[in-house]
Amino acid sequence: MALPLQSTGTPIRSACAALLGALLLPVLVGCSDTSNSNGDTTPAGDDILMNQLQYLGTHNSYHIRAKQDLFDVLLGFIPDLAPTLDYSHIPLQDQFDSQGIRQIELDVFDDPEGGLYSNHVVRTVFGEDAASGIAELDEPGLKVLHVQEIDYETTCYTFVSCLREVKAWSDAHPRHLPITVMVEVKDEAIPDPLNLGFVTPLPFGIDALNRVDAEIHSVFPREQLLLPDDVRGDYVTLELAVLSQGWPPLSQARGKIMFALDNSGAPLENYIAGHTSLEGRVLFTNSPTGTPEAAFMKRNNPLSNPGEIESLVALGYMVRTRADAETEQARTNDTTQRDAALASGAHFVSTDYPVPNPEFSEYQVTLPGGGIARCNPVSPGDCNPDLL
């Protein structure tokens, strides 16, 4: 806003007033446009499209490493798999605050009656009661964990409680850059070598997928969500919208939460069924190019098909990739995949190491130059790095 200086009418004083106004105007504009305490981009850059930036994400964002006694057993029974489970994340709100994370991932199991995951029967091996004593696990609703019975430690036990964490942080920082929540639905049974009575997950069918949408709506008001319908607008298909007009500008996307389905196969097909272009749905889907729903893409390994992610980004799709997987890069301090992921222009670069694990190496993933986001290296549009 301009400073309402009053001129006295004399040429010298008028000139001084004009000079003072010119000097103070940038200061006043800067006061209204400065970054918030979390480093999100300034309102002065709100004409930037949300896909003209690159964000940092975490993989299995809820995950906590199994207790040491159980982890030692896993090393004995599954020596190849157990080391891939050796990572932990801090609570979601802390990730947003201290690590600059703007994309998270939640794995969900269906539990419409409640109690399916209340017992951890593997604890009986250590002479403990199988009952977890966690009241939330007795409640009906989707549960958040990695692998039932063996890798179930989490910072938030239910989908709703995880979402409430996201909403609480979002409400406290209403001008934040859009947050993307990837949801992976899970129903795979696992071996039970000691015949302890491991729980068998319920199939994740259409009703369960509908409950994913319903639980999201139970936490977030419509105006806080960025939905496929918002991006599609008046275009015939969602894909045509992102390839033609692109994604919303930050002026429309700030403070919003976007959801995406991690799965392919039957869950993807069931989620789309009856919802062409994801009409009426909450989650974007990892749909192939050339389909009405194509807008968001998952390409986990940026090294597997060189140039593919760059091409998708340049066309207008939003892409998630991974900088590391299964603790391998952190154990060897190998930055090859990390560097490729950042250079690819993928909008969401996901990692298990926004901070290093000193027991492994100095390996970590941050955006070049630091900060919450940076101008997308492949499709920056008119993004001005000075405003980030």
Side-chain angles (χ1 to χ4, degrees), residues 162-198:
C162 292
L163 297 184
R164 285 173 178 163
E165 289 286 310
V166 177
K167 186 177 189 302
W169 189 91
S170 177
D171 290 346
H173 305 83
R175 294 291 298 166
H176 67 77
L177 290 173
I179 292 173
T180 299
V181 180
M182 290 190 64
V183 180
E184 181 176 358
V185 303
K186 306 186 85 169
D187 59 9
E188 184 178 358
I190 62 171
D192 183 5
L194 298 180
N195 295 316
L196 296 175
F198 284 179

PDB file of all heavy atoms in Angstrom, residues 162-198:
ATOM      1  N   CYS A 162      -4.303 -38.696  12.002  1.00  0.00           N
ATOM      2  CA  CYS A 162      -3.237 -38.129  11.171  1.00  0.00           C
ATOM      3  C   CYS A 162      -3.732 -36.881  10.451  1.00  0.00           C
ATOM      4  O   CYS A 162      -3.028 -35.858  10.396  1.00  0.00           O
ATOM      5  CB  CYS A 162      -2.762 -39.144  10.150  1.00  0.00           C
ATOM      6  SG  CYS A 162      -1.877 -40.583  10.813  1.00  0.00           S
ATOM      7  N   LEU A 163      -4.931 -36.954   9.888  1.00  0.00           N
ATOM      8  CA  LEU A 163      -5.478 -35.811   9.169  1.00  0.00           C
ATOM      9  C   LEU A 163      -5.726 -34.628  10.097  1.00  0.00           C
ATOM     10  O   LEU A 163      -5.565 -33.460   9.704  1.00  0.00           O
ATOM     11  CB  LEU A 163      -6.776 -36.207   8.464  1.00  0.00           C
ATOM     12  CG  LEU A 163      -6.651 -37.285   7.381  1.00  0.00           C
ATOM     13  CD1 LEU A 163      -7.996 -37.500   6.699  1.00  0.00           C
ATOM     14  CD2 LEU A 163      -5.583 -36.938   6.356  1.00  0.00           C
ATOM     15  N   ARG A 164      -6.120 -34.920  11.322  1.00  0.00           N
ATOM     16  CA  ARG A 164      -6.322 -33.826  12.282  1.00  0.00           C
ATOM     17  C   ARG A 164      -5.000 -33.123  12.595  1.00  0.00           C
ATOM     18  O   ARG A 164      -4.982 -31.915  12.846  1.00  0.00           O
ATOM     19  CB  ARG A 164      -6.969 -34.365  13.555  1.00  0.00           C
ATOM     20  CG  ARG A 164      -8.457 -34.681  13.376  1.00  0.00           C
ATOM     21  CD  ARG A 164      -9.036 -35.373  14.589  1.00  0.00           C
ATOM     22  NE  ARG A 164     -10.474 -35.627  14.429  1.00  0.00           N
ATOM     23  CZ  ARG A 164     -11.171 -36.483  15.153  1.00  0.00           C
ATOM     24  NH1 ARG A 164     -10.560 -37.179  16.115  1.00  0.00           N
ATOM     25  NH2 ARG A 164     -12.458 -36.652  14.940  1.00  0.00           N
ATOM     26  N   GLU A 165      -3.906 -33.892  12.583  1.00  0.00           N
ATOM     27  CA  GLU A 165      -2.592 -33.273  12.758  1.00  0.00           C
ATOM     28  C   GLU A 165      -2.307 -32.303  11.607  1.00  0.00           C
ATOM     29  O   GLU A 165      -1.821 -31.188  11.814  1.00  0.00           O
ATOM     30  CB  GLU A 165      -1.511 -34.353  12.807  1.00  0.00           C
ATOM     31  CG  GLU A 165      -1.522 -35.191  14.069  1.00  0.00           C
ATOM     32  CD  GLU A 165      -0.971 -34.421  15.258  1.00  0.00           C
ATOM     33  OE1 GLU A 165       0.118 -33.839  15.149  1.00  0.00           O
ATOM     34  OE2 GLU A 165      -1.672 -34.383  16.289  1.00  0.00           O
ATOM     35  N   VAL A 166      -2.600 -32.754  10.395  1.00  0.00           N
ATOM     36  CA  VAL A 166      -2.386 -31.899   9.228  1.00  0.00           C
ATOM     37  C   VAL A 166      -3.259 -30.655   9.309  1.00  0.00           C
ATOM     38  O   VAL A 166      -2.799 -29.523   9.064  1.00  0.00           O
ATOM     39  CB  VAL A 166      -2.677 -32.676   7.925  1.00  0.00           C
ATOM     40  CG1 VAL A 166      -2.525 -31.767   6.703  1.00  0.00           C
ATOM     41  CG2 VAL A 166      -1.753 -33.887   7.796  1.00  0.00           C
ATOM     42  N   LYS A 167      -4.519 -30.842   9.654  1.00  0.00           N
ATOM     43  CA  LYS A 167      -5.442 -29.709   9.712  1.00  0.00           C
ATOM     44  C   LYS A 167      -5.039 -28.714  10.789  1.00  0.00           C
ATOM     45  O   LYS A 167      -5.107 -27.488  10.571  1.00  0.00           O
ATOM     46  CB  LYS A 167      -6.871 -30.178   9.961  1.00  0.00           C
ATOM     47  CG  LYS A 167      -7.891 -29.033   9.871  1.00  0.00           C
ATOM     48  CD  LYS A 167      -9.309 -29.518  10.050  1.00  0.00           C
ATOM     49  CE  LYS A 167     -10.303 -28.399   9.742  1.00  0.00           C
ATOM     50  NZ  LYS A 167     -10.110 -27.200  10.580  1.00  0.00           N
ATOM     51  N   ALA A 168      -4.617 -29.214  11.946  1.00  0.00           N
ATOM     52  CA  ALA A 168      -4.223 -28.305  13.022  1.00  0.00           C
ATOM     53  C   ALA A 168      -3.065 -27.421  12.587  1.00  0.00           C
ATOM     54  O   ALA A 168      -3.051 -26.211  12.848  1.00  0.00           O
ATOM     55  CB  ALA A 168      -3.859 -29.106  14.267  1.00  0.00           C
ATOM     56  N   TRP A 169      -2.100 -28.024  11.912  1.00  0.00           N
ATOM     57  CA  TRP A 169      -0.958 -27.223  11.445  1.00  0.00           C
ATOM     58  C   TRP A 169      -1.398 -26.254  10.349  1.00  0.00           C
ATOM     59  O   TRP A 169      -0.992 -25.091  10.337  1.00  0.00           O
ATOM     60  CB  TRP A 169       0.157 -28.130  10.942  1.00  0.00           C
ATOM     61  CG  TRP A 169       1.418 -27.360  10.663  1.00  0.00           C
ATOM     62  CD1 TRP A 169       2.435 -27.116  11.532  1.00  0.00           C
ATOM     63  CD2 TRP A 169       1.767 -26.707   9.433  1.00  0.00           C
ATOM     64  NE1 TRP A 169       3.402 -26.347  10.928  1.00  0.00           N
ATOM     65  CE2 TRP A 169       3.017 -26.086   9.637  1.00  0.00           C
ATOM     66  CE3 TRP A 169       1.145 -26.588   8.195  1.00  0.00           C
ATOM     67  CZ2 TRP A 169       3.667 -25.359   8.638  1.00  0.00           C
ATOM     68  CZ3 TRP A 169       1.790 -25.859   7.191  1.00  0.00           C
ATOM     69  CH2 TRP A 169       3.028 -25.262   7.415  1.00  0.00           C
ATOM     70  N   SER A 170      -2.219 -26.741   9.442  1.00  0.00           N
ATOM     71  CA  SER A 170      -2.692 -25.884   8.355  1.00  0.00           C
ATOM     72  C   SER A 170      -3.488 -24.700   8.889  1.00  0.00           C
ATOM     73  O   SER A 170      -3.312 -23.560   8.444  1.00  0.00           O
ATOM     74  CB  SER A 170      -3.554 -26.706   7.383  1.00  0.00           C
ATOM     75  OG  SER A 170      -4.084 -25.902   6.352  1.00  0.00           O
ATOM     76  N   ASP A 171      -4.361 -24.941   9.854  1.00  0.00           N
ATOM     77  CA  ASP A 171      -5.165 -23.859  10.433  1.00  0.00           C
ATOM     78  C   ASP A 171      -4.278 -22.814  11.109  1.00  0.00           C
ATOM     79  O   ASP A 171      -4.591 -21.622  11.107  1.00  0.00           O
ATOM     80  CB  ASP A 171      -6.153 -24.424  11.455  1.00  0.00           C
ATOM     81  CG  ASP A 171      -7.269 -25.229  10.808  1.00  0.00           C
ATOM     82  OD1 ASP A 171      -7.440 -25.135   9.578  1.00  0.00           O
ATOM     83  OD2 ASP A 171      -7.971 -25.947  11.541  1.00  0.00           O
ATOM     84  N   ALA A 172      -3.167 -23.269  11.683  1.00  0.00           N
ATOM     85  CA  ALA A 172      -2.260 -22.351  12.373  1.00  0.00           C
ATOM     86  C   ALA A 172      -1.350 -21.598  11.409  1.00  0.00           C
ATOM     87  O   ALA A 172      -0.729 -20.600  11.792  1.00  0.00           O
ATOM     88  CB  ALA A 172      -1.403 -23.115  13.380  1.00  0.00           C
ATOM     89  N   HIS A 173      -1.294 -22.055  10.155  1.00  0.00           N
ATOM     90  CA  HIS A 173      -0.439 -21.430   9.133  1.00  0.00           C
ATOM     91  C   HIS A 173      -1.248 -21.299   7.843  1.00  0.00           C
ATOM     92  O   HIS A 173      -0.959 -21.953   6.841  1.00  0.00           O
ATOM     93  CB  HIS A 173       0.819 -22.267   8.884  1.00  0.00           C
ATOM     94  CG  HIS A 173       1.613 -22.547  10.121  1.00  0.00           C
ATOM     95  ND1 HIS A 173       1.305 -23.585  10.992  1.00  0.00           N
ATOM     96  CD2 HIS A 173       2.686 -21.932  10.655  1.00  0.00           C
ATOM     97  CE1 HIS A 173       2.173 -23.586  11.992  1.00  0.00           C
ATOM     98  NE2 HIS A 173       3.021 -22.590  11.814  1.00  0.00           N
ATOM     99  N   PRO A 174      -2.275 -20.459   7.839  1.00  0.00           N
ATOM    100  CA  PRO A 174      -3.239 -20.443   6.736  1.00  0.00           C
ATOM    101  C   PRO A 174      -2.673 -20.013   5.388  1.00  0.00           C
ATOM    102  O   PRO A 174      -3.323 -20.219   4.373  1.00  0.00           O
ATOM    103  CB  PRO A 174      -4.311 -19.459   7.224  1.00  0.00           C
ATOM    104  CG  PRO A 174      -3.612 -18.591   8.221  1.00  0.00           C
ATOM    105  CD  PRO A 174      -2.628 -19.496   8.894  1.00  0.00           C
ATOM    106  N   ARG A 175      -1.484 -19.445   5.353  1.00  0.00           N
ATOM    107  CA  ARG A 175      -0.897 -19.032   4.083  1.00  0.00           C
ATOM    108  C   ARG A 175       0.164 -20.011   3.594  1.00  0.00           C
ATOM    109  O   ARG A 175       0.967 -19.675   2.711  1.00  0.00           O
ATOM    110  CB  ARG A 175      -0.279 -17.631   4.234  1.00  0.00           C
ATOM    111  CG  ARG A 175      -1.285 -16.530   4.506  1.00  0.00           C
ATOM    112  CD  ARG A 175      -2.179 -16.267   3.301  1.00  0.00           C
ATOM    113  NE  ARG A 175      -1.402 -15.818   2.146  1.00  0.00           N
ATOM    114  CZ  ARG A 175      -1.876 -15.778   0.899  1.00  0.00           C
ATOM    115  NH1 ARG A 175      -3.108 -16.200   0.650  1.00  0.00           N
ATOM    116  NH2 ARG A 175      -1.126 -15.346  -0.083  1.00  0.00           N
ATOM    117  N   HIS A 176       0.156 -21.224   4.118  1.00  0.00           N
ATOM    118  CA  HIS A 176       1.189 -22.175   3.738  1.00  0.00           C
ATOM    119  C   HIS A 176       1.057 -22.612   2.292  1.00  0.00           C
ATOM    120  O   HIS A 176      -0.022 -22.548   1.688  1.00  0.00           O
ATOM    121  CB  HIS A 176       1.157 -23.393   4.671  1.00  0.00           C
ATOM    122  CG  HIS A 176      -0.080 -24.240   4.531  1.00  0.00           C
ATOM    123  ND1 HIS A 176      -0.284 -25.126   3.500  1.00  0.00           N
ATOM    124  CD2 HIS A 176      -1.191 -24.343   5.320  1.00  0.00           C
ATOM    125  CE1 HIS A 176      -1.438 -25.741   3.647  1.00  0.00           C
ATOM    126  NE2 HIS A 176      -2.023 -25.285   4.747  1.00  0.00           N
ATOM    127  N   LEU A 177       2.179 -23.065   1.727  1.00  0.00           N
ATOM    128  CA  LEU A 177       2.139 -23.684   0.413  1.00  0.00           C
ATOM    129  C   LEU A 177       1.266 -24.930   0.481  1.00  0.00           C
ATOM    130  O   LEU A 177       1.140 -25.552   1.532  1.00  0.00           O
ATOM    131  CB  LEU A 177       3.552 -24.062  -0.029  1.00  0.00           C
ATOM    132  CG  LEU A 177       4.486 -22.897  -0.369  1.00  0.00           C
ATOM    133  CD1 LEU A 177       5.901 -23.416  -0.612  1.00  0.00           C
ATOM    134  CD2 LEU A 177       3.990 -22.132  -1.580  1.00  0.00           C
ATOM    135  N   PRO A 178       0.640 -25.311  -0.632  1.00  0.00           N
ATOM    136  CA  PRO A 178      -0.239 -26.489  -0.600  1.00  0.00           C
ATOM    137  C   PRO A 178       0.505 -27.721  -0.113  1.00  0.00           C
ATOM    138  O   PRO A 178       1.672 -27.948  -0.444  1.00  0.00           O
ATOM    139  CB  PRO A 178      -0.686 -26.637  -2.063  1.00  0.00           C
ATOM    140  CG  PRO A 178       0.306 -25.845  -2.860  1.00  0.00           C
ATOM    141  CD  PRO A 178       0.746 -24.732  -1.985  1.00  0.00           C
ATOM    142  N   ILE A 179      -0.187 -28.505   0.704  1.00  0.00           N
ATOM    143  CA  ILE A 179       0.349 -29.765   1.216  1.00  0.00           C
ATOM    144  C   ILE A 179      -0.310 -30.912   0.458  1.00  0.00           C
ATOM    145  O   ILE A 179      -1.536 -30.927   0.274  1.00  0.00           O
ATOM    146  CB  ILE A 179       0.072 -29.904   2.721  1.00  0.00           C
ATOM    147  CG1 ILE A 179       0.884 -28.874   3.509  1.00  0.00           C
ATOM    148  CG2 ILE A 179       0.386 -31.318   3.209  1.00  0.00           C
ATOM    149  CD1 ILE A 179       0.543 -28.821   4.985  1.00  0.00           C
ATOM    150  N   THR A 180       0.498 -31.860   0.012  1.00  0.00           N
ATOM    151  CA  THR A 180      -0.022 -33.029  -0.689  1.00  0.00           C
ATOM    152  C   THR A 180       0.114 -34.263   0.201  1.00  0.00           C
ATOM    153  O   THR A 180       1.182 -34.518   0.751  1.00  0.00           O
ATOM    154  CB  THR A 180       0.725 -33.251  -2.015  1.00  0.00           C
ATOM    155  OG1 THR A 180       0.527 -32.110  -2.857  1.00  0.00           O
ATOM    156  CG2 THR A 180       0.218 -34.499  -2.730  1.00  0.00           C
ATOM    157  N   VAL A 181      -0.982 -34.999   0.330  1.00  0.00           N
ATOM    158  CA  VAL A 181      -1.014 -36.216   1.143  1.00  0.00           C
ATOM    159  C   VAL A 181      -1.232 -37.402   0.209  1.00  0.00           C
ATOM    160  O   VAL A 181      -2.292 -37.539  -0.399  1.00  0.00           O
ATOM    161  CB  VAL A 181      -2.139 -36.163   2.193  1.00  0.00           C
ATOM    162  CG1 VAL A 181      -2.138 -37.445   3.023  1.00  0.00           C
ATOM    163  CG2 VAL A 181      -2.005 -34.933   3.075  1.00  0.00           C
ATOM    164  N   MET A 182      -0.221 -38.239   0.085  1.00  0.00           N
ATOM    165  CA  MET A 182      -0.375 -39.473  -0.680  1.00  0.00           C
ATOM    166  C   MET A 182      -0.946 -40.549   0.228  1.00  0.00           C
ATOM    167  O   MET A 182      -0.518 -40.698   1.378  1.00  0.00           O
ATOM    168  CB  MET A 182       0.956 -39.916  -1.264  1.00  0.00           C
ATOM    169  CG  MET A 182       1.458 -39.010  -2.378  1.00  0.00           C
ATOM    170  SD  MET A 182       2.887 -39.709  -3.230  1.00  0.00           S
ATOM    171  CE  MET A 182       2.170 -41.183  -3.947  1.00  0.00           C
ATOM    172  N   VAL A 183      -1.903 -41.298  -0.286  1.00  0.00           N
ATOM    173  CA  VAL A 183      -2.571 -42.350   0.478  1.00  0.00           C
ATOM    174  C   VAL A 183      -2.367 -43.681  -0.237  1.00  0.00           C
ATOM    175  O   VAL A 183      -2.716 -43.823  -1.409  1.00  0.00           O
ATOM    176  CB  VAL A 183      -4.081 -42.060   0.614  1.00  0.00           C
ATOM    177  CG1 VAL A 183      -4.760 -43.180   1.409  1.00  0.00           C
ATOM    178  CG2 VAL A 183      -4.319 -40.707   1.265  1.00  0.00           C
ATOM    179  N   GLU A 184      -1.776 -44.632   0.472  1.00  0.00           N
ATOM    180  CA  GLU A 184      -1.648 -45.985  -0.071  1.00  0.00           C
ATOM    181  C   GLU A 184      -2.580 -46.902   0.710  1.00  0.00           C
ATOM    182  O   GLU A 184      -2.469 -47.010   1.935  1.00  0.00           O
ATOM    183  CB  GLU A 184      -0.217 -46.503   0.021  1.00  0.00           C
ATOM    184  CG  GLU A 184      -0.076 -47.909  -0.566  1.00  0.00           C
ATOM    185  CD  GLU A 184       1.357 -48.426  -0.577  1.00  0.00           C
ATOM    186  OE1 GLU A 184       2.263 -47.674  -0.156  1.00  0.00           O
ATOM    187  OE2 GLU A 184       1.562 -49.586  -1.000  1.00  0.00           O
ATOM    188  N   VAL A 185      -3.495 -47.559   0.002  1.00  0.00           N
ATOM    189  CA  VAL A 185      -4.401 -48.493   0.663  1.00  0.00           C
ATOM    190  C   VAL A 185      -3.756 -49.875   0.649  1.00  0.00           C
ATOM    191  O   VAL A 185      -3.155 -50.293  -0.339  1.00  0.00           O
ATOM    192  CB  VAL A 185      -5.786 -48.501  -0.014  1.00  0.00           C
ATOM    193  CG1 VAL A 185      -6.385 -47.101  -0.012  1.00  0.00           C
ATOM    194  CG2 VAL A 185      -5.729 -49.034  -1.442  1.00  0.00           C
ATOM    195  N   LYS A 186      -3.887 -50.604   1.781  1.00  0.00           N
ATOM    196  CA  LYS A 186      -3.163 -51.850   1.928  1.00  0.00           C
ATOM    197  C   LYS A 186      -4.081 -52.965   2.429  1.00  0.00           C
ATOM    198  O   LYS A 186      -4.919 -52.730   3.299  1.00  0.00           O
ATOM    199  CB  LYS A 186      -1.984 -51.661   2.895  1.00  0.00           C
ATOM    200  CG  LYS A 186      -1.069 -50.506   2.511  1.00  0.00           C
ATOM    201  CD  LYS A 186       0.166 -50.409   3.361  1.00  0.00           C
ATOM    202  CE  LYS A 186       1.248 -51.307   2.831  1.00  0.00           C
ATOM    203  NZ  LYS A 186       2.564 -51.037   3.478  1.00  0.00           N
ATOM    204  N   ASP A 187      -3.905 -54.166   1.877  1.00  0.00           N
ATOM    205  CA  ASP A 187      -4.706 -55.314   2.317  1.00  0.00           C
ATOM    206  C   ASP A 187      -3.962 -56.633   2.138  1.00  0.00           C
ATOM    207  O   ASP A 187      -4.562 -57.702   2.117  1.00  0.00           O
ATOM    208  CB  ASP A 187      -6.056 -55.360   1.580  1.00  0.00           C
ATOM    209  CG  ASP A 187      -5.904 -55.454   0.062  1.00  0.00           C
ATOM    210  OD1 ASP A 187      -4.769 -55.653  -0.434  1.00  0.00           O
ATOM    211  OD2 ASP A 187      -6.931 -55.316  -0.637  1.00  0.00           O
ATOM    212  N   GLU A 188      -2.648 -56.579   2.061  1.00  0.00           N
ATOM    213  CA  GLU A 188      -1.867 -57.784   1.797  1.00  0.00           C
ATOM    214  C   GLU A 188      -1.627 -58.575   3.082  1.00  0.00           C
ATOM    215  O   GLU A 188      -1.197 -58.024   4.102  1.00  0.00           O
ATOM    216  CB  GLU A 188      -0.529 -57.405   1.172  1.00  0.00           C
ATOM    217  CG  GLU A 188       0.324 -58.593   0.768  1.00  0.00           C
ATOM    218  CD  GLU A 188       1.622 -58.190   0.097  1.00  0.00           C
ATOM    219  OE1 GLU A 188       1.842 -56.973  -0.088  1.00  0.00           O
ATOM    220  OE2 GLU A 188       2.427 -59.088  -0.222  1.00  0.00           O
ATOM    221  N   ALA A 189      -1.870 -59.859   3.019  1.00  0.00           N
ATOM    222  CA  ALA A 189      -1.565 -60.744   4.138  1.00  0.00           C
ATOM    223  C   ALA A 189      -0.067 -61.027   4.169  1.00  0.00           C
ATOM    224  O   ALA A 189       0.622 -60.915   3.142  1.00  0.00           O
ATOM    225  CB  ALA A 189      -2.339 -62.041   4.015  1.00  0.00           C
ATOM    226  N   ILE A 190       0.446 -61.361   5.347  1.00  0.00           N
ATOM    227  CA  ILE A 190       1.866 -61.681   5.475  1.00  0.00           C
ATOM    228  C   ILE A 190       2.021 -63.053   6.116  1.00  0.00           C
ATOM    229  O   ILE A 190       1.112 -63.546   6.788  1.00  0.00           O
ATOM    230  CB  ILE A 190       2.603 -60.613   6.315  1.00  0.00           C
ATOM    231  CG1 ILE A 190       2.045 -60.552   7.744  1.00  0.00           C
ATOM    232  CG2 ILE A 190       2.533 -59.254   5.647  1.00  0.00           C
ATOM    233  CD1 ILE A 190       2.855 -59.679   8.684  1.00  0.00           C
ATOM    234  N   PRO A 191       3.172 -63.703   5.913  1.00  0.00           N
ATOM    235  CA  PRO A 191       3.395 -65.021   6.535  1.00  0.00           C
ATOM    236  C   PRO A 191       3.389 -64.926   8.055  1.00  0.00           C
ATOM    237  O   PRO A 191       3.755 -63.910   8.638  1.00  0.00           O
ATOM    238  CB  PRO A 191       4.776 -65.418   6.012  1.00  0.00           C
ATOM    239  CG  PRO A 191       4.995 -64.591   4.783  1.00  0.00           C
ATOM    240  CD  PRO A 191       4.276 -63.296   5.028  1.00  0.00           C
ATOM    241  N   ASP A 192       2.988 -66.027   8.675  1.00  0.00           N
ATOM    242  CA  ASP A 192       2.934 -66.118  10.146  1.00  0.00           C
ATOM    243  C   ASP A 192       3.759 -67.342  10.550  1.00  0.00           C
ATOM    244  O   ASP A 192       3.217 -68.388  10.932  1.00  0.00           O
ATOM    245  CB  ASP A 192       1.476 -66.262  10.581  1.00  0.00           C
ATOM    246  CG  ASP A 192       1.295 -66.292  12.092  1.00  0.00           C
ATOM    247  OD1 ASP A 192       2.305 -66.102  12.816  1.00  0.00           O
ATOM    248  OD2 ASP A 192       0.168 -66.516  12.557  1.00  0.00           O
ATOM    249  N   PRO A 193       5.107 -67.243  10.489  1.00  0.00           N
ATOM    250  CA  PRO A 193       5.952 -68.427  10.649  1.00  0.00           C
ATOM    251  C   PRO A 193       5.856 -69.088  12.015  1.00  0.00           C
ATOM    252  O   PRO A 193       6.122 -70.292  12.143  1.00  0.00           O
ATOM    253  CB  PRO A 193       7.367 -67.887  10.393  1.00  0.00           C
ATOM    254  CG  PRO A 193       7.280 -66.418  10.695  1.00  0.00           C
ATOM    255  CD  PRO A 193       5.899 -66.020  10.259  1.00  0.00           C
ATOM    256  N   LEU A 194       5.480 -68.342  13.057  1.00  0.00           N
ATOM    257  CA  LEU A 194       5.372 -68.913  14.396  1.00  0.00           C
ATOM    258  C   LEU A 194       3.930 -69.261  14.771  1.00  0.00           C
ATOM    259  O   LEU A 194       3.652 -69.644  15.910  1.00  0.00           O
ATOM    260  CB  LEU A 194       5.941 -67.945  15.429  1.00  0.00           C
ATOM    261  CG  LEU A 194       7.425 -67.599  15.279  1.00  0.00           C
ATOM    262  CD1 LEU A 194       7.858 -66.629  16.365  1.00  0.00           C
ATOM    263  CD2 LEU A 194       8.281 -68.856  15.297  1.00  0.00           C
ATOM    264  N   ASN A 195       3.008 -69.127  13.785  1.00  0.00           N
ATOM    265  CA  ASN A 195       1.591 -69.420  14.019  1.00  0.00           C
ATOM    266  C   ASN A 195       1.054 -68.678  15.242  1.00  0.00           C
ATOM    267  O   ASN A 195       0.392 -69.254  16.120  1.00  0.00           O
ATOM    268  CB  ASN A 195       1.381 -70.934  14.190  1.00  0.00           C
ATOM    269  CG  ASN A 195       1.696 -71.710  12.933  1.00  0.00           C
ATOM    270  OD1 ASN A 195       1.309 -71.302  11.836  1.00  0.00           O
ATOM    271  ND2 ASN A 195       2.417 -72.808  13.068  1.00  0.00           N
ATOM    272  N   LEU A 196       1.330 -67.389  15.274  1.00  0.00           N
ATOM    273  CA  LEU A 196       0.889 -66.556  16.394  1.00  0.00           C
ATOM    274  C   LEU A 196      -0.545 -66.065  16.218  1.00  0.00           C
ATOM    275  O   LEU A 196      -1.148 -65.574  17.169  1.00  0.00           O
ATOM    276  CB  LEU A 196       1.823 -65.348  16.536  1.00  0.00           C
ATOM    277  CG  LEU A 196       3.277 -65.663  16.892  1.00  0.00           C
ATOM    278  CD1 LEU A 196       4.103 -64.387  16.884  1.00  0.00           C
ATOM    279  CD2 LEU A 196       3.359 -66.350  18.248  1.00  0.00           C
ATOM    280  N   GLY A 197      -1.068 -66.204  15.005  1.00  0.00           N
ATOM    281  CA  GLY A 197      -2.420 -65.716  14.744  1.00  0.00           C
ATOM    282  C   GLY A 197      -2.430 -64.302  14.189  1.00  0.00           C
ATOM    283  O   GLY A 197      -3.245 -63.469  14.613  1.00  0.00           O
ATOM    284  N   PHE A 198      -1.535 -64.038  13.255  1.00  0.00           N
ATOM    285  CA  PHE A 198      -1.478 -62.718  12.629  1.00  0.00           C
ATOM    286  C   PHE A 198      -2.817 -62.365  11.990  1.00  0.00           C
ATOM    287  O   PHE A 198      -3.482 -63.216  11.395  1.00  0.00           O
ATOM    288  CB  PHE A 198      -0.395 -62.677  11.554  1.00  0.00           C
ATOM    289  CG  PHE A 198       1.015 -62.585  12.080  1.00  0.00           C
ATOM    290  CD1 PHE A 198       2.084 -62.560  11.202  1.00  0.00           C
ATOM    291  CD2 PHE A 198       1.274 -62.520  13.439  1.00  0.00           C
ATOM    292  CE1 PHE A 198       3.390 -62.467  11.668  1.00  0.00           C
ATOM    293  CE2 PHE A 198       2.580 -62.427  13.924  1.00  0.00           C
ATOM    294  CZ  PHE A 198       3.639 -62.397  13.022  1.00  0.00           C
TER     295      PHE A 198
END
